[in-house]
Amino acid sequence: GGLRDLHELMWTSRVTHGKATLKDLTEIGAIPERDAKAINAAYDFLTRVRNEIHFLTNRKSDLLSLDLQQQVARNLRYADTPEQQASELFMHDYYLHARRLHRLCETHLQRAAAKQEKTPEKKSWFSRSRSSSRIAPAIGGFVMRDGELDVADTNETLDGNRMMMAFSYAQATGANLSSALQETMQAALPSVNKTFRSSPEAAQAFLKMLRAKGRVAAGLRLMHELDFLGKFLPEFGRVTCLVQHDLYHRYTVDEHTLRTIEALDDLANSRSKTLERYRGVFSQIADTATLHLGLLMHDI
């Protein structure tokens, strides 16, 4: 439920840095202090939940099943509101912590792997098989390094427009963002403010991404994973990790929304004869940005 992500991070940190605690990793600059605080908060929350499950089941059980969620929520002092059940509020917090922990650990695992690759005498079990670093020319201050989009100048700060440009490049090329670029974006999220959200340039850049038929969900998911989407569209931010306990919703609202758009991407990329009629209808839509925007907003 998230704890294994943290275990994996600490194991690789022992190999890469010779450090076994978050405090040590923060002191040597391997993990920013803001990330360490978020990881500690997530770890505290998840272990409290895990202990509560043990108390309720009177055994070593690590499965947060649906029938336990209501009681765990009550025991952790969650209460119903006119809009949501206590269990929905509790699970919203759970998914926020687990999601944040997963992303932070993935980012720092990438950094650890990159560090090992740059140290030939320390070939490790998680090194990738790369013989040399391949760098493509810079585009708007970005470079392609070993198939990942990266910042050309590691000391450069980004603003909202530059971040939107990076997401657009990644969507167009299918490239991942380097761990360095992801961290630079995290530090720059405050620039995604009301002024940026209101600018015609940002709106047009976003609509352009919504017109990339067959690649829309991938671009939006990347934005979402780095918390950019919820900052750019605060309405979407408010449904991030939102749980609805009913017969119709298997996923949190944000995940359900992205999967809905992925269904359209799959249709656009499909060659199945059974979907030929629907592909034909889809191809007749003059501006798919309207449809994708409607799907993005449909549960908000």
Side-chain angles (χ1 to χ4, degrees):
L3 291 174
R4 185 63 72 203
D5 289 322
L6 182 57
H7 295 165
E8 196 174 5
L9 171 67
M10 300 317 299
W11 292 332
T12 41
S13 296
R14 284 173 182 260
V15 175
T16 311
H17 303 288
K19 304 294 182 183
T21 68
L22 280 174
K23 182 181 178 183
D24 290 340
L25 291 170
T26 305
E27 287 177 352
I28 66 171
I31 291 182
E33 191 171 341
R34 69 171 186 276
D35 289 1
K37 286 181 178 178
I39 291 172
N40 271 322
Y43 177 71
D44 178 64
F45 182 88
L46 293 172
T47 48
R48 286 175 64 210
V49 172
R50 191 186 197 199
N51 288 345
E52 197 60 48
I53 296 171
H54 293 180
F55 296 147
L56 285 172
T57 59
N58 201 29
R59 61 189 174 88
K60 184 181 181 297
S61 173
D62 297 333
L63 182 64
L64 183 57
S65 54
L66 187 62
D67 60 310
L68 288 175
Q69 290 172 16
Q70 189 73 35
Q71 191 56 52
V72 171
R74 297 287 182 204
N75 290 0
L76 294 181
R77 308 264 179 102
Y78 286 86
D80 292 344
T81 69
E83 294 81 21
Q84 288 181 275
Q85 301 174 40
S87 59
E88 293 173 337
L89 294 167
F90 159 61
M91 290 304 295
H92 173 255
D93 285 350
Y94 165 76
Y95 282 121
L96 278 177
H97 282 298
R99 175 176 174 268
R100 188 175 295 121
L101 186 61
H102 177 73
R103 183 185 60 75
L104 291 173
C105 290
E106 280 293 305
T107 299
H108 294 295
L109 281 171
Q110 288 176 27
R111 287 186 68 187
K115 184 177 187 297
Q116 289 294 113
E117 288 162 13
K118 292 175 184 176
T119 313
E121 66 275 13
K122 287 187 178 180
K123 289 293 181 184
S124 71
W125 49 270
F126 62 92
S127 288
R128 302 173 196 165
S129 55
R130 294 176 180 168
S131 57
S132 63
S133 182
R134 299 174 295 279
I135 303 177
I139 310 170
F142 298 101
V143 295
M144 279 293 185
R145 186 177 282 112
D146 289 319
E148 291 184 335
L149 191 68
D150 202 353
V151 280
D153 181 0
T154 54
N155 296 317
E156 185 182 9
T157 58
L158 300 178
D159 59 14
N161 287 311
R162 295 289 309 290
M163 284 192 277
M164 189 73 84
M165 186 186 300
F167 287 123
S168 180
Y169 286 153
Q171 181 194 47
T173 61
N176 292 321
L177 304 182
S178 72
S179 57
L181 179 52
Q182 290 183 41
E183 289 181 17
T184 304
M185 284 182 164
Q186 287 293 294
L189 279 178
S191 68
V192 186
N193 51 27
K194 186 177 180 181
T195 302
F196 172 70
R197 288 193 294 268
S198 304
S199 71
E201 294 80 11
Q204 288 307 313
F206 187 64
L207 289 173
K208 181 182 177 182
M209 292 186 67
L210 294 183
R211 293 186 178 104
K213 192 179 288 189
R215 301 192 303 273
V216 176
L220 293 176
R221 190 174 284 282
L222 190 57
M223 286 179 161
H224 184 41
E225 287 173 356
L226 294 177
D227 298 324
F228 179 93
L229 188 58
K231 292 278 286 182
F232 182 61
L233 296 174
E235 299 83 0
F236 189 82
R238 287 193 283 273
V239 299
T240 294
C241 294
L242 185 65
V243 173
Q244 293 175 281
H245 280 161
D246 55 34
L247 296 175
Y248 309 105
H249 291 88
R250 288 180 56 198
Y251 303 103
T252 56
V253 176
D254 54 325
E255 180 63 17
H256 161 77
T257 301
L258 293 175
R259 283 176 180 254
T260 305
I261 296 171
E262 279 174 347
L264 265 193
D265 283 354
D266 290 343
L267 176 64
N269 296 321
S270 169
R271 294 294 173 264
S272 168
K273 285 192 175 295
T274 58
L275 297 176
E276 194 169 353
R277 176 189 174 191
Y278 303 104
R279 277 199 308 276
V281 173
F282 193 27
S283 67
Q284 293 171 26
I285 298 172
D287 187 359
T288 56
T290 309
L291 176 59
H292 288 122
L293 193 60
L295 288 175
L296 188 60
M297 299 289 182
H298 86 271
D299 255 354
I300 289 174

